[in-house]
Amino acid sequence: MATAERSLDAARTSQRNGYGSSSSGVIITPGLSDGTLSRPSKEHSTPRRTTQSERRESRIRALLAIAVMGLAFFTVGSQLIHLALQGQNDQRIAMSAPIATAFARPDIVDRNGRLLAGDIVMQSLIADPSVVLDVEEIVAKLAAVLPNLSADAIRDALSDRSKKFAWLRRGLSTAEAQQIHNLGLPGLDFRPELRRAYPLGRTAGHVLGFVDIDNKGLAGIEQFLDSSKYVEPVHGPSLSARPPLRLSLDVAVQFAVEEELADAMTRYKAKAATGIVMDAKSGKIVAAVSLPGRDPGIVDERFEKKRIDKLTAGTFELGSIFKTMTLAMALDAGTVEPDSIIDVRQQLEVDGYPIKDAHPAGRPLSVTEVFLKSSNVGAAMLALADGTDKQKAFLKRIGLTTQIATEAGPVAPPSLPSRWGDIETVTVAYGHGLAVSPLQFAAAGASLVNGGRKVRPTFLRDSAISANTDNPVGEQVLHPETSRTIRTLMRSNVESGFGTGTRAGVPGIRIGGKTGTAEIAGKGGYREKAVIASFFAAFPIDAPRYVTLVSLFEPTGTTETGGMITAGRNAAPATSRIVARIAPLLGFLPSEQPL
């Protein structure tokens, strides 16, 4: 009983406090099952504080680790940059030394599109001297492949082991490059480069000019490409995307003239020869030849004296072809008519110098006969009748006393008399005392036969006619009637049977022309047996489309020429063979009708 009461009192007391208690320290939460227990608050707060602290410490450790790793990367990166910068200068030198600026050039083609010059990719031999193991081995083995290679030059190129680059040979052929590659020599390598190729060799070589080792134009049409901004600097073998430069030359005509002139040199034992074929109205040059020729791709031929371009780079006294100019001057001034009579029976004496004919006629001659018989006395009298001032003015107007130029470069300036008095007037009248290039004479001669209009020689097919402040292209420099008379005289000189140009005739082609034989000046005077024999011609002579000028330098008398060295015996027949061969190529059948 007492025990029960005590239990009841305890229960009541618990109800008044709102909780039940236990001596074991377990708190019984009202509304929960007996099995649901909760630890005192002191025991619950300790684990929460421990977890937050650990998280903070973990974050700190992570940040420290990132900072350490970042510092490490920064240190390593800085060192790499330092090392790179330290070798930058050496690397720049090594990279820049072997890269030579070259020039990509467009093709050069003839009037019909046939290739005359073009770029190709070739291998050049290079070396890294710093890794070469045996210089003498390289010298010996390269000599077997490239016998013309200088052993001393190779040793010099490889002697400095501090260098990273050296040229050994530029422009190897495919076979040479392959042989060197097969040698397997350490330190050698190849670099592709642009090189200029001339597939026709010496054909038109003087006109084309040449380039240097880096493909830069130095002469001729090649230099014209550079000056006209047709080339592009490149680093590597990049071919030009520009269209070809089309010349006025015709390869077939050029080759025919070259071959016939070479035959004439052999036939008449001449030391050199020149020939030109020019459009009489436009001045476009169809063929331009100077022999001995020059291959633009052979360096050793570029400056050989015997290979100088005599057509444009030299001036010469051309002899009696100048009488064409003298008669044109007199006829144009109205001083004489073709049938006017000139008394040439006596030799002249001018300023103490005798003027005579090689074969005196012994009678007075008409102006036409002065031309056909090539009378020095007759030409001299015509020049004196007009006077020095008129002669100088005429020759200037026609284009023979001022320097001219073409796309291939400047033509040698005329060599004029230092004193131009009566005797000079006389000698110039028959082609002595005034020296011009054959090209310049041909251009002036075209004006005599084309109706009297001035032309400017050009090597471009599509060249536009431009103006010149002193002598406009196309300027009327001669009366058309005078031009017709000159054509008649030139035709008679070939066709009549009485002229000096009879051997220039071509069956089926009406051709006219004039001979000229000039002694070559030497020390102390003229060399009697050394001459330049020339023939100036036009065809078809009734309405000329083309003019030609053929010159043979120092021909020798042969059985064929009867031992003579005059132009009527060598330059005239050489012209006949040339015109007979090229006329069909230019569109003329023997019937003389253009195709």
Side-chain angles (χ1 to χ4, degrees), residues 3-219:
T3 304
E5 289 177 353
R6 282 196 294 272
S7 298
L8 181 59
D9 289 338
R12 288 174 179 169
T13 302
S14 174
Q15 289 175 353
R16 282 196 299 268
N17 294 335
Y19 292 96
S21 61
S22 171
S23 59
S24 63
V26 177
I27 301 172
I28 300 175
T29 305
L32 296 179
S33 63
D34 292 342
T36 303
L37 304 178
S38 177
R39 293 293 179 187
S41 61
K42 182 178 180 180
E43 295 180 7
H44 279 267
S45 62
T46 301
R48 283 198 297 271
R49 286 196 302 270
T50 301
T51 302
Q52 292 173 357
S53 176
E54 288 176 350
R55 289 176 179 171
R56 283 196 300 271
E57 291 175 358
S58 297
R59 283 197 295 270
I60 293 170
R61 285 195 298 270
L63 291 173
L64 289 173
I66 291 172
V68 170
M69 292 179 66
L71 181 62
F73 278 114
F74 177 77
T75 302
V76 172
S78 298
Q79 184 65 16
L80 291 174
I81 293 173
H82 173 71
L83 292 173
L85 290 175
Q86 189 176 31
Q88 188 175 20
N89 292 336
D90 293 339
Q91 183 181 7
R92 183 180 294 115
I93 294 172
M95 291 300 292
S96 63
I99 299 177
T101 299
F103 295 88
R105 316 180 65 80
D107 290 344
I108 301 174
V109 298
D110 82 339
R111 66 196 303 176
N112 298 310
R114 288 169 287 199
L115 186 65
L116 295 170
D119 283 352
I120 59 174
V121 179
M122 298 183 72
Q123 297 294 333
S124 290
L125 183 61
I126 61 176
D128 182 349
S130 67
V131 298
V132 168
L133 299 180
D134 190 335
V135 173
E136 293 305 319
E137 179 189 19
I138 290 178
V139 170
K141 291 187 175 181
L142 288 183
V145 180
L146 306 171
N148 295 327
L149 194 65
S150 169
D152 290 338
I154 297 299
R155 292 188 184 96
D156 290 343
L158 300 178
S159 62
D160 189 349
R161 302 299 294 273
S162 65
K163 291 183 178 180
K164 298 290 185 180
F165 177 86
W167 292 108
L168 298 186
R169 170 63 70 88
R170 300 175 75 172
L172 295 170
S173 68
T174 302
E176 289 171 338
Q178 186 61 53
Q179 291 179 63
I180 295 171
H181 172 76
N182 293 341
L183 295 176
L185 296 170
L188 301 191
D189 203 350
F190 299 94
R191 169 161 293 159
E193 287 191 294
L194 292 179
R195 308 291 291 177
R196 202 62 163 167
Y198 302 92
L200 301 184
R202 293 192 180 103
T203 298
H206 287 106
V207 177
L208 294 175
F210 49 84
V211 300
D212 67 8
I213 194 70
D214 293 316
N215 228 28
K216 181 177 176 59
L218 297 181

Side-chain angles (χ1 to χ4, degrees), residues 398-436:
I398 209 77
L400 283 173
T401 59
T402 55
Q403 186 176 18
I404 65 171
T406 70
E407 298 80 10
V411 176
S415 178
L416 308 179
S418 56
R419 173 192 176 276
W420 203 321
D422 284 348
I423 186 59
E424 288 78 22
T425 298
V426 165
T427 58
V428 167
Y430 53 79
H432 283 79
L434 191 155
V436 298

Side-chain angles (χ1 to χ4, degrees), residues 258-529:
E258 288 181 0
E259 196 167 66
E260 291 298 336
L261 284 180
D263 175 72
M265 286 177 62
T266 301
R267 186 189 296 252
Y268 306 118
K269 301 178 181 178
K271 292 184 178 180
T274 62
I276 186 169
V277 180
M278 179 188 296
D279 188 298
K281 293 185 177 180
S282 69
K284 293 178 181 179
I285 299 169
V286 183
V289 180
S290 178
L291 298 180
R294 181 179 69 195
D295 188 332
I298 300 178
V299 176
D300 291 342
E301 290 190 1
R302 294 178 182 176
F303 304 106
E304 287 185 43
K305 186 176 180 179
K306 69 177 182 180
R307 299 186 188 278
I308 188 174
D309 183 6
K310 293 180 174 61
L311 196 64
T312 63
T315 60
F316 309 96
E317 297 178 2
L318 295 175
S320 292
I321 60 174
F322 254 84
K323 290 171 183 168
T324 312
M325 300 294 169
T326 300
L327 266 70
M329 174 186 68
L331 292 166
D332 205 55
T335 306
V336 294
E337 297 292 336
D339 56 356
S340 298
I341 300 299
I342 309 295
D343 189 353
V344 297
R345 288 175 295 180
Q346 301 295 324
Q347 72 175 26
L348 292 179
E349 186 164 324
V350 181
D351 294 344
Y353 294 94
I355 308 298
K356 58 185 179 180
D357 288 330
H359 305 285
R363 62 177 177 84
L365 299 176
S366 68
V367 169
T368 296
E369 290 175 317
V370 167
F371 187 83
L372 299 183
K373 295 183 178 297
S374 198
S375 170
N376 289 346
V377 175
M381 295 179 69
L382 291 174
L384 288 173
D386 278 344
T388 300
D389 290 341
K390 286 185 178 181
Q391 183 187 56
K392 291 168 68 175
F394 179 82
L395 294 177
K396 180 179 181 180
R397 188 168 75 247
I398 209 77
L400 283 173
T401 59
T402 55
Q403 186 176 18
I404 65 171
T406 70
E407 298 80 10
V411 176
S415 178
L416 308 179
S418 56
R419 173 192 176 276
W420 203 321
D422 284 348
I423 186 59
E424 288 78 22
T425 298
V426 165
T427 58
V428 167
Y430 53 79
H432 283 79
L434 191 155
V436 298
S437 70
L439 173 61
Q440 187 160 2
F441 185 91
S447 300
L448 298 184
V449 300
N450 70 1
R453 290 196 172 273
K454 187 176 179 64
V455 300
R456 187 185 75 178
T458 178
F459 284 105
L460 300 185
R461 191 195 73 168
D462 301 320
S463 174
I465 296 179
S466 60
N468 178 298
T469 54
D470 294 327
N471 288 303
V473 175
E475 174 193 3
Q476 194 76 36
V477 294
L478 204 68
H479 290 99
E481 181 59 36
T482 303
S483 180
R484 282 193 291 272
T485 301
I486 292 297
R487 294 197 299 268
T488 300
L489 293 175
M490 291 174 64
R491 176 60 184 162
S492 296
N493 195 40
V494 173
E495 189 180 57
S496 68
F498 301 108
T500 59
T502 302
R503 292 176 176 82
V506 179
I509 301 294
R510 291 177 65 82
I511 182 174
K514 180 70 183 79
T515 55
T517 306
E519 294 176 344
I520 298 175
K523 293 182 179 180
Y526 290 95
R527 299 158 56 196
E528 185 177 353
K529 298 298 183 180

